[in-house]
Amino acid sequence: MPGIVIVGSQWGDEGKGKATDQLGDRVDLCVRYSGGNNAGHTIIVGGEKYVMHLLPSGILNPGVTPILGNGVVIDLDVLYTELDELAARGAEVSHPLISANAHVITEFHRTIDKVTERFLGKAKIGTTGRGVGPAYSDKVNRIGIRIQDLFDESILRRKVEASLEQKNHMLVKVYNRRAIDPDEVTDKLLSFADRLRPHVADTSRVINEALDADKVVLFEGAQAHHLDVDHGTYPYVTSSNPVAAGACVGAGVGPTRIDRVVGIAKAYTTRVGSGPFPTELFDADGDRLREAGGEFGATTGRPRRCGWFDALVVEAATRGNAFTDIFLTKLDCLTGWEQIPVCVGYEVNGTRHDVMPYSQTDFHHATPVYEYLDGWTEDISECRSFEELPAATQRYVNRLQELISCRISGIGVGPGREQSIMLHDLL
Ligand code: IMP
């Protein structure tokens, strides 16, 4: 032990790297357990900015073993593009391990992601278009292709053919696209096999043995609680389980292996893609938040939808993940407002809700009930202790802590690694 999971508490892009930075050199294994290259982790090392979509953030720390667990879906083109780019920039990259049971995203998954979104029209999910959903669909349909299949050509050929048979009918007859050649797909996958082999391992065993040896294992979440396929705002979700429990399934460890669950909450709220978002701002205030926070997607470059902090959303995540700590990020981006609204309840057709309603119909019709807290104008980016924060900022943090029923252990006050205030150690 210890095992520590980091999970987004809203709709993603909370700045999970901030908490990872705090753990720094103390981490031995850094494991991604869900999602694929739909994520976007921005890491700044030695003044250099790196954006990783698939690789775990630990890749840039030579002392860390980065792992892609069985729960991840892997686009091998992206994997090797990311590794090669890092190498080309002279980054010291550690040796990643990849679960033999992880599933593969192929060209046909990307194609299907895009055509189905187009067909949904107004009802589209707003996916990242990376083929993540179709790859998970195949996994659950038991027609997926796993990393280990690349080491047995005849099995691989059969699996690709089986997987494409039905899809090609759909592509041609429904979507009016050309059929995909199974041999081309197979050959492309096989071309990765030699390079892949030294990285492939029984990662569940590796992780469990590391925990037995008292190593620090960081389970790095991508996406967030409210994008979880079971617990999020379905169907406007991703196709995996980013919640803390997903770390057990997606990495192959039992629940008793997890000691700390750190929820990451942005000091306001953002969302990309479609789906309900009660505190969303459609006016100049939304633009102001977007500008202050640089809220443009790291993966797709899309402008993020912005709104005030919604305590009900984060409180639901606190419960669903049993957060032991919250890391509040981007507090500095709220500097300069006279008053800052915080959503403390919803009105739905004349009924007041103090917790997130389970009914999607109610949530879609929720009007936020705001409490207005005093803002601050002082630059807080150089503050390194809670006491240095202006009184109004302290009150904002304390009120959020009360509302979300979890202690706030860290606060981000700027993009730099050192621009954090730690109230409690995360290990
Ligand atoms: P998919 O994961 O590409 O299937 O997209 C499904 C939904 O999850 C869309 O609304 C995406 O915008 C959203 N999504 C996926 N990954 C992320 C992320 O890392 N941050 C924020 N939203 C994401």
Side-chain angles (χ1 to χ4, degrees), residues 11-14 16 35-41 113 117 125-134 136 222-224 227 235-240 270-275 299-300 302 304-305:
W11 282 286
D13 310 311
E14 293 89 354
K16 296 181 253 316
N37 55 306
N38 47 352
H41 293 284
D113 198 352
E117 279 283 272
I125 309 295
T127 73
T128 58
R130 303 295 193 258
V132 169
Y136 279 117
Q223 292 80 47
L227 288 174
Y236 301 104
V237 293
T238 193
S239 300
S240 65
T270 62
R271 172 162 206 171
V272 284
S274 319
T299 298
T300 57
R302 290 181 285 185
R304 295 181 184 138
R305 302 158 63 193

Side-chain angles (χ1 to χ4, degrees), residues 73 100-106 108-109 132-150 155-164 167 189:
V73 284
N101 289 347
H103 281 243
V104 170
I105 300 179
T106 68
F108 59 76
H109 295 116
V132 169
Y136 279 117
S137 304
D138 278 0
K139 171 176 172 173
V140 175
N141 275 334
R142 293 161 296 185
I143 52 167
I145 293 155
R146 295 192 295 175
I147 288 288
Q148 57 180 292
D149 297 331
L150 272 61
I155 284 191
L156 181 66
R157 262 187 215 287
R158 262 186 281 142
K159 287 196 173 182
V160 172
E161 272 166 25
S163 185
L164 268 175
K167 291 186 186 74
L189 290 174

Side-chain angles (χ1 to χ4, degrees), residues 316-347:
T318 300
R319 246 177 309 120
N321 294 276
F323 290 147
T324 53
D325 306 82
I326 288 269
F327 200 114
L328 187 69
T329 59
K330 296 187 121 172
L331 188 59
D332 55 303
C333 301
L334 285 181
T335 299
W337 296 85
E338 201 173 316
Q339 287 207 306
I340 307 176
V342 171
C343 174
V344 296
Y346 302 135
E347 283 281 333

Side-chain angles (χ1 to χ4, degrees), residues 32-33 67-74 97-105 135-136 138-140 144-151 159 196 199-205 249-252:
R32 268 204 63 184
Y33 58 87
I67 296 183
L68 293 175
N70 56 279
V72 177
V73 284
I74 301 175
L97 294 180
I98 298 171
S99 168
N101 289 347
H103 281 243
V104 170
I105 300 179
Y136 279 117
D138 278 0
K139 171 176 172 173
V140 175
I145 293 155
R146 295 192 295 175
I147 288 288
Q148 57 180 292
D149 297 331
L150 272 61
F151 305 133
K159 287 196 173 182
L196 200 56
H199 294 284
V200 177
D202 176 354
T203 50
S204 162
R205 179 176 292 277
V249 180

Side-chain angles (χ1 to χ4, degrees), residues 90-262:
E92 212 178 319
V93 173
S94 31
H95 181 78
L97 294 180
I98 298 171
S99 168
N101 289 347
H103 281 243
V104 170
I105 300 179
T106 68
E107 174 207 336
F108 59 76
H109 295 116
R110 288 191 297 265
T111 304
I112 287 165
D113 198 352
K114 286 178 190 143
V115 289
T116 44
E117 279 283 272
R118 209 166 301 145
F119 252 63
L120 282 170
K122 267 197 177 153
K124 72 176 183 187
I125 309 295
T127 73
T128 58
R130 303 295 193 258
V132 169
Y136 279 117
S137 304
D138 278 0
K139 171 176 172 173
V140 175
N141 275 334
R142 293 161 296 185
I143 52 167
I145 293 155
R146 295 192 295 175
I147 288 288
Q148 57 180 292
D149 297 331
L150 272 61
F151 305 133
D152 186 326
E153 183 173 341
S154 65
I155 284 191
L156 181 66
R157 262 187 215 287
R158 262 186 281 142
K159 287 196 173 182
V160 172
E161 272 166 25
S163 185
L164 268 175
E165 202 180 320
Q166 203 191 16
K167 291 186 186 74
N168 271 337
H169 282 297
M170 282 240 299
L171 281 174
V172 174
K173 293 177 188 156
V174 180
Y175 296 120
N176 204 18
R177 304 276 295 218
R178 72 172 179 85
I180 293 171
D181 179 3
D183 285 332
E184 257 175 48
V185 174
T186 308
D187 293 343
K188 176 86 194 278
L189 290 174
L190 286 172
S191 73
F192 290 111
D194 286 342
R195 196 169 174 197
L196 200 56
R197 206 179 294 272
H199 294 284
V200 177
D202 176 354
T203 50
S204 162
R205 179 176 292 277
V206 172
I207 297 164
N208 278 290
E209 284 175 359
L211 289 165
D212 288 342
D214 244 0
K215 299 254 169 75
V216 175
V217 180
L218 171 65
F219 299 92
E220 183 178 83
Q223 292 80 47
H225 178 89
H226 294 282
L227 288 174
D228 185 281
V229 70
D230 284 271
H231 302 284
T233 47
Y234 190 90
Y236 301 104
V237 293
T238 193
S239 300
S240 65
N241 288 113
V243 293
C248 296
V249 180
V253 299
T256 51
R257 295 299 216 168
I258 308 293
D259 302 279
R260 297 287 281 271
V261 183
V262 181

Side-chain angles (χ1 to χ4, degrees), residues 53-69:
H53 298 292
L54 174 62
L55 291 166
S57 57
I59 190 86
L60 285 170
N61 192 336
V64 171
T65 303
I67 296 183
L68 293 175

